[in-house]
Amino acid sequence: MKKPWAGRFTQKTSGTVESFTESISFDRNLWKHDIEGSIAHARMLAKQRIITVREAAAIVAGLKRIARSISSKTFTFSPELEDIHMNIESALTEKIGAAGKKLHTARSRNDQVALDLRLYLKEQLQDIIAFLLKLQKTFLKLAEMHQETVMPGYTHLQRAQPVLLAHHLLAYVEMFQRDRERFRDCLQRTDVCPLGSCALAGTSLPTDRAYTAKLLGFRAISGNSIDAVSDRDFALEFLSSSAILMMHLSRLAEELILWSTEEFSFIEISDRFTTGSSIMPQKKNPDVAELLRGKTGRIYGNLMALLTLMKGLPLAYNRDMQEDKLPVFDSAETIKACLIVLQEMIQDVKFNTKRLRETAGEGYSTATDIAEYLVRKGVPFREAHEITGRIVLLCISRNIPLTGLSLAELRGFSVKISRDMLALLDPAASVKARSSYGGTSLSEVKRQIRQFRKLLK
Ligand code: ARG
């Protein structure tokens, strides 16, 4: 097949080089966006009288026919034509003849590929933002259901202080909110049209870049043609936001894995979202959560791959940049799959509220409540901490909970302690007392729920 750039060559490209340099095996993923971009470009060329209205109509009709043939899988992609851009352009010329050869006027593959990737990513970002919203809503609903459930809160994976399960769940709603904002922000910078920047310097032909951008639904056009064809920041922002999202999903997955162990027994993941072992008949494994955790590695890798790819490139376009697509496609597909499966799995999780309540008060988790009680009685915090530490030590030596000591024994540690302190040792009371802004008290949890109900509407 004749290459559109064959004019200046006297020898045929080596077959090894063809298979080494091709990108059609993966950039065919961009076919819809490539055609969409070309249709807008052709319309602009006609409006500017660079081509005739008749030629533009033939181009648009030809491109639409190609689109139908690709979506019905009857189109043959050929590696000799390198990439999606040349495959489509060459098919167009074959179909409509001379007018097809005018499509590439006032454009280059450099601005074309930048355009396609932006169009693709805009679409992906919109989906991802919607999936994240759905996930947040699911977590919010779970939080609403568990406003009264007390559980042990952890630091260092040691029981620290009782918290509301709703509070813990809402922590993820906060994380996903930041993730969603990062993707929305990335969408703003992706939503800039590079088409018309041509190879790197713009064109001498009388184009109307704003018109093409408007047809394609972009909010802005790029201001510097050299930057427009060299810039992959938008893809990097996407990959970095994806890496941060996956870090969140991975932490959650780790909790789901831990919490579903016999040892924790905080949750049960439904049969539909667990898998069995081929040798141990009793097993029910949290493989979905493990894969969510495991896929995080690849998503981090994709960010590193593109950062490394871009770091030494002189301006403007370099062929290295063809390698930008695989990490972007992979991250987009992977995080969408992760968000969907997680949302389905989490709404099916059963919380063992009895066990959560029982363990909430274990491990001297209300010790801080004694210290804060003493502070309210005028004892300096460091002293109160010391006194409480000695109380805990005594309980440990006797293997009893804090509630196992008599009032007289407690007063032996400090005369500031009186009967009203005993009520504070109950985990529910401990939670209720933590009403500082953003704390775990029911009143604060309800405030968070109200806030997110409004925000996620
Ligand atoms: N397949 C190329 C890519 O993905 C398209 C741009 C080619 N530009 C060039 N000057 N060879 O980057």
Side-chain angles (χ1 to χ4, degrees):
M1 223 164 283
K2 189 163 174 295
K3 294 186 195 347
W5 44 253
R8 145 283 167 262
F9 289 79
T10 52
Q11 284 183 304
K12 222 177 147 280
T13 319
S14 129
T16 326
V17 169
E18 277 182 343
S19 54
F20 185 72
T21 55
E22 67 85 23
S23 55
I24 189 63
S25 54
F26 51 91
D27 67 12
R28 63 174 70 181
N29 216 10
L30 297 173
W31 70 266
K32 244 189 235 163
H33 313 97
D34 198 74
I35 288 177
E36 191 192 344
S38 290
I39 289 178
H41 185 65
R43 293 205 163 120
M44 182 279 290
L45 291 176
K47 180 182 90 73
Q48 296 302 101
R49 299 171 191 275
I50 300 169
I51 62 175
T52 66
V53 171
R54 188 188 282 268
E55 283 163 341
I59 290 173
V60 171
L63 288 169
K64 286 185 175 165
R65 269 173 61 202
I66 293 172
R68 277 195 298 276
S69 136
I70 297 177
S71 67
S72 64
K73 302 206 177 353
T74 54
F75 189 88
T76 342
F77 292 103
S78 43
E80 310 95 85
L81 290 172
E82 279 184 32
D83 55 27
I84 188 64
H85 325 296
M86 278 168 34
N87 266 269
I88 290 176
E89 195 192 322
S90 144
L92 180 70
T93 309
E94 207 176 288
K95 277 193 189 356
I96 69 165
K101 294 190 181 166
K102 294 203 170 176
L103 172 61
H104 212 54
T105 313
R107 128 181 136 169
S108 110
R109 277 187 294 156
N110 299 350
D111 55 343
Q112 195 180 353
V113 74
L115 170 75
D116 291 4
L117 195 60
R118 283 176 187 266
L119 285 172
Y120 165 86
L121 203 52
K122 274 177 66 176
E123 201 175 86
Q124 298 299 318
L125 281 164
Q126 274 151 7
D127 286 350
I128 289 163
I129 290 166
F131 289 147
L132 261 169
L133 181 66
K134 190 163 176 205
L135 185 63
Q136 280 185 294
K137 285 183 175 164
T138 307
F139 268 79
L140 181 62
K141 205 154 146 207
L142 285 173
E144 286 171 341
M145 280 162 58
H146 291 289
Q147 295 184 42
E148 312 279 338
T149 308
V150 180
M151 67 172 283
Y154 290 80
T155 65
H156 311 268
L157 200 54
Q158 308 284 330
R159 283 182 194 144
Q161 292 179 335
V163 294
L164 287 180
L165 173 55
H167 197 51
H168 194 106
L169 294 167
L170 286 164
Y172 284 103
V173 181
E174 292 274 351
M175 287 178 239
F176 298 148
Q177 181 63 24
R178 291 193 296 276
D179 288 325
R180 204 156 55 87
E181 284 167 12
R182 265 186 287 273
F183 284 118
R184 278 209 303 235
D185 204 40
C186 169
L187 180 56
Q188 280 299 298
R189 272 181 295 276
T190 303
D191 198 4
V192 176
C193 187
L195 193 64
S197 300
C198 305
L200 79 162
T203 177
S204 61
L205 297 165
T207 53
D208 182 349
R209 293 193 52 210
Y211 181 74
T212 324
K214 201 177 128 210
L215 289 180
L216 291 169
F218 279 99
R219 67 165 183 90
I221 56 175
S222 56
N224 179 309
S225 60
I226 296 178
D227 178 51
V229 294
S230 319
D231 169 31
R232 292 295 181 272
D233 294 5
F234 64 99
L236 284 166
E237 284 185 38
F238 168 67
L239 294 178
S240 103
S241 305
S242 302
I244 297 174
L245 166 68
M246 282 308 283
M247 178 271 293
H248 288 153
L249 298 191
S250 185
R251 294 180 78 172
L252 171 65
E254 173 65 17
E255 294 204 317
L256 294 175
I257 294 162
L258 272 177
W259 288 8
S260 61
T261 57
E262 189 73 40
E263 287 78 0
F264 270 87
S265 297
F266 283 180
I267 58 168
E268 192 184 340
I269 305 175
S270 90
D271 280 5
R272 294 173 56 230
F273 292 95
T274 44
T275 51
S277 154
S278 53
I279 173 165
M280 298 163 284
Q282 84 285 9
K283 297 262 300 177
K284 179 169 149 175
N285 295 326
D287 292 33
V288 172
E290 288 171 327
L291 279 169
L292 284 166
R293 191 177 56 184
K295 285 176 191 288
T296 307
R298 247 178 47 226
I299 302 303
Y300 288 6
N302 289 339
L303 171 61
M304 288 319 296
L306 189 57
L307 278 172
T308 312
L309 162 61
M310 294 303 294
K311 80 176 267 291
L313 297 186
L315 303 182
Y317 176 85
N318 300 266
R319 189 64 177 269
D320 315 43
M321 290 161 81
Q322 176 167 292
E323 293 280 316
D324 62 357
K325 285 164 224 44
L326 285 167
V328 171
F329 294 164
D330 182 53
S331 283
E333 289 308 324
T334 306
I335 66 173
K336 278 193 301 184
C338 288
L339 289 170
I340 291 170
V341 77
L342 174 61
Q343 192 273 333
E344 287 181 18
M345 177 168 70
I346 203 80
Q347 61 181 356
D348 238 30
V349 162
K350 283 212 166 45
F351 288 90
N352 185 351
T353 53
K354 188 162 161 274
R355 166 106 180 135
L356 287 165
R357 280 201 183 93
E358 278 165 10
T359 47
E362 286 176 12
Y364 308 102
S365 64
T366 51
T368 318
D369 294 84
I370 301 182
E372 289 184 358
Y373 173 87
L374 290 170
V375 166
R376 283 194 293 277
K377 297 277 162 142
V379 181
F381 180 73
R382 276 289 154 234
E383 225 170 279
H385 187 286
E386 169 78 22
I387 294 167
T388 313
R390 279 191 266 117
I391 295 175
V392 169
L393 199 59
L394 176 67
C395 291
I396 292 172
S397 75
R398 288 201 204 156
N399 194 22
I400 53 168
L402 291 169
T403 48
L405 295 173
S406 70
L407 184 59
E409 280 172 314
L410 284 165
R411 285 180 66 86
F413 287 93
S414 167
V415 290
K416 302 271 167 103
I417 296 178
S418 35
R419 186 162 300 282
D420 59 344
M421 198 210 70
L422 300 179
L424 301 180
L425 301 179
D426 173 42
S430 163
V431 160
K432 188 166 174 213
R434 296 213 146 47
S435 57
S436 57
Y437 191 89
T440 197
S441 72
L442 183 59
S443 59
E444 273 307 296
V445 164
K446 281 192 186 303
R447 179 192 55 75
Q448 296 176 59
I449 289 175
R450 274 198 306 276
Q451 174 203 328
F452 276 112
R453 262 192 209 140
K454 244 210 232 142
L455 207 63
L456 305 182
K457 237 204 251 139

